[in-house]
């Protein structure tokens, strides 16, 4: 009884598998026939060029092209966050007189501005006091270092002396670091100096002139870039940006964080001829890298919802389906499934040819 039940189950499983296999085979045949019908509809038989006798038949040569222009976009001349070298006020400033125009190129050590205020003298006094205290602490430290070696002082006393010395040293080094940005003349007039060679950038007029606030920034000219916000799809295709024939922008980086449908691209000038100014808005053409060809616009025609060109092959015209990518001046840019560089393509009487294909006769 049990054996009969197992045979019955096996028979059912086999029948189900056969039906399932037949269904898959039927679907595959239908798909194959459908694809063949589409391919057949898109395949046009060559015709002799003599069929166009009586018509003007001119040909043009196709040319391979690697790039195509996209729609112009606007960019902002700027720099990436954090690349600016910032000089801060070491004390509250009542008045500052900048000696350069905003955006000027300055050299390292150049006097950028003169500053005035009651806290200026206080800072200088504090600096001198810290310097004197360090000298005293250093002398006390050196003397007692010998005493410790000779076991004249206790270890606990040496710890206190050491702490006092390093505290004085740390206090002076902090003030001395700020003094590196200052120049004091014989009359104790204080000026701010540039720590680097680069482009000078001032804070806004409304900015505070308090201790720790920004006095100015220095930018490396090589850090100046153009910030573009483009669609994610364009960001994946763009190869470089063209501002003019003399100015191209090479892509430096693409932000991997998007803002909904857009992302940020940073590009830098490829030559000094770009002459960019921080804060400037510029219009640039994104140039996309492609694998395609160019030909006169009159060469393309449509037949059964597919674009074609008529390629000369000896004494015949072969019809090649193409995918239109864009245009450049008087040419179309297209791609194809076969190599077409330097091929002769019909560019006149194309409408007459199209009419023949549509069985409308000659025009």
């Amino acid at each position: 009884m049990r054996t009969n039940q197992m045979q019955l189950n096996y028979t059912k499983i086999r029948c189900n598998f056969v039906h399932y296999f037949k269904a898959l085979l039927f679907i595959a045949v239908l798909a194959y026939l459908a694809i063949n019908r589409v391919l057949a509809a898109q395949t046009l038989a060559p015709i002799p060029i003599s069929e166009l006798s009586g018509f003007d038949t001119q040909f043009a040569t196709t040319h391979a092209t690697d790039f195509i222009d996209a729609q112009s976009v606007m960019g902002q001349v700027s720099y990436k966050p954090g690349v600016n070298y910032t000089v801060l006020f070491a004390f509250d400033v009542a008045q500052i007189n900048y000696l350069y125009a905003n955006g000027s190129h300055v050299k390292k050590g150049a006097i950028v501005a003169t500053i005035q205020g009651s806290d200026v003298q206080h800072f200088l006094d504090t600096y001198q006091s810290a310097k004197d205290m360090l000298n005293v602490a250093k002398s006390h430290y050196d003397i007692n270092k010998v005493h410790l070696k000779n076991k004249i002082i206790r270890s606990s006393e040496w710890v206190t002396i050491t702490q006092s010395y390093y505290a004085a040293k740390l206090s002076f080094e902090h003030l001395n670091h700020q003094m590196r940005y200052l120049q004091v003349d014989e009359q104790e007039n204080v000026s701010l100096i540039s720590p680097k060679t680069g482009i000078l950038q001032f804070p806004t007029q409304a900015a505070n002139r308090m201790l720790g606030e920004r006095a100015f920034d220095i930018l490396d000219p090589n850090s100046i870039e153009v910030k573009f916000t483009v669609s994610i799809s364009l960001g994946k295709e763009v190869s470089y940006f063209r501002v003019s024939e003399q100015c191209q922008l090479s892509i430096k980086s693409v932000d991997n964080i998007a803002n909904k449908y857009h992302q940020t691209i940073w590009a830098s000038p490829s030559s000094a001829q770009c002459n960019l100014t921080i804060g400037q808005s510029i219009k640039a053409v994104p140039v996309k890298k492609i694998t395609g060809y160019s030909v006169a616009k009159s060469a393309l025609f449509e037949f059964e919802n597919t674009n074609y060109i008529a390629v000369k092959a000896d004494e015949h015209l072969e019809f090649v389906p193409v995918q239109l990518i864009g245009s450049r001046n008087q040419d179309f840019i297209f791609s194809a499934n076969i190599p077409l560089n330097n091929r002769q393509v019909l560019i006149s009487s194309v409408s007459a040819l199209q009419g023949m294909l549509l069985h409308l006769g000659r025009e």
Side-chain angles (χ1 to χ4, degrees), residues 133-142 158-171 173:
M133 287 297 298
L134 177 59
N135 290 333
V136 172
K138 180 68 166 61
S139 177
H140 191 54
Y141 173 85
D142 291 339
W158 172 246
V159 171
T160 303
I161 294 170
T162 302
Q163 290 175 340
S164 178
Y165 165 66
Y166 281 107
K169 184 179 180 182
L170 183 62
S171 177
E173 287 180 349

Side-chain angles (χ1 to χ4, degrees), residues 20-93:
Y20 179 72
F21 177 78
K22 288 181 178 179
L24 287 178
L25 181 62
F26 179 71
I27 293 173
V29 171
L30 288 180
Y32 175 77
L33 294 175
I35 292 174
N36 276 345
R37 282 197 298 269
V38 171
L39 293 176
Q42 292 183 350
T43 301
L44 299 176
I47 67 170
I49 298 178
S50 59
E51 290 288 330
L52 290 173
S53 60
F55 292 98
D56 178 31
T57 53
Q58 299 180 22
F59 294 86
T61 304
T62 60
H63 299 284
T65 181
D66 297 326
F67 300 97
I68 187 173
D69 295 348
Q71 188 175 0
S72 298
V73 294
M74 296 300 296
Q76 187 80 15
V77 181
S78 184
Y79 51 88
K80 292 180 180 177
V83 300
N84 51 312
Y85 191 98
T86 301
V87 175
L88 305 176
F89 288 117
F91 40 77
D92 295 348
V93 173

Side-chain angles (χ1 to χ4, degrees), residues 53 77 118 128 169 173 177 192 200 203 249 252 284 297 357:
S53 60
V77 181
S118 58
Q128 188 59 47
K169 184 179 180 182
E173 287 180 349
H177 175 74
L192 291 174
L200 188 63
L249 304 176
K252 298 295 289 186
K297 292 182 178 179
L357 296 175

Side-chain angles (χ1 to χ4, degrees), residues 5 37 59 104 137 210 213 219 221 228 248 281 334 344:
Q5 183 65 36
R37 282 197 298 269
F59 294 86
S104 299
M210 309 296 288
E213 295 294 337
L219 296 169
F228 293 99
Q248 294 183 358
S281 293
F334 65 91
Q344 293 289 303

